[in-house]
Amino acid sequence: VKEFIGKVEAVDNEIELLKEDRKEIIEEYSERLDYKTLMAALKVVKIQNSVVHRDTFDLFMEALTDHQP
């Protein structure tokens, strides 16, 4: 049990360090990039890559984007 807890705590510590690194990187690039827009674009790409029926997805996207004000 102690070994398990030690390993989980080590991973939790690494996660916190990675979160801090991520925050520093975002701050470093925040003046050069529109971070929120970039993150939104990355979400779209993730969704597109996960779609099984890509042709149908593309048709839906085309229909939805053509009718936006």
Side-chain angles (χ1 to χ4, degrees):
V1 173
K2 287 183 181 182
E3 180 182 344
F4 171 78
I5 291 171
K7 287 183 178 185
V8 169
E9 287 176 345
V11 169
D12 287 343
N13 289 335
E14 289 178 35
I15 289 170
E16 287 304 314
L17 290 173
L18 289 171
K19 285 181 182 179
E20 290 173 20
D21 290 347
R22 183 178 192 272
K23 182 178 177 182
E24 289 174 10
I25 291 169
I26 291 168
E27 288 173 3
E28 178 183 344
Y29 284 88
S30 66
E31 293 180 17
R32 295 183 271 171
L33 297 173
D34 179 352
Y35 176 74
K36 288 183 180 182
T37 303
L38 175 59
M39 296 314 299
L42 288 171
K43 286 180 185 180
V44 170
V45 169
K46 273 184 154 179
I47 292 168
Q48 288 174 333
N49 290 337
S50 69
V51 170
V52 176
H53 303 286
R54 184 63 189 257
D55 293 337
T56 305
F57 178 83
D58 289 341
L59 288 172
F60 289 159
M61 288 301 296
E62 184 178 329
L64 291 168
T65 56
D66 283 347
H67 294 352
Q68 289 191 356

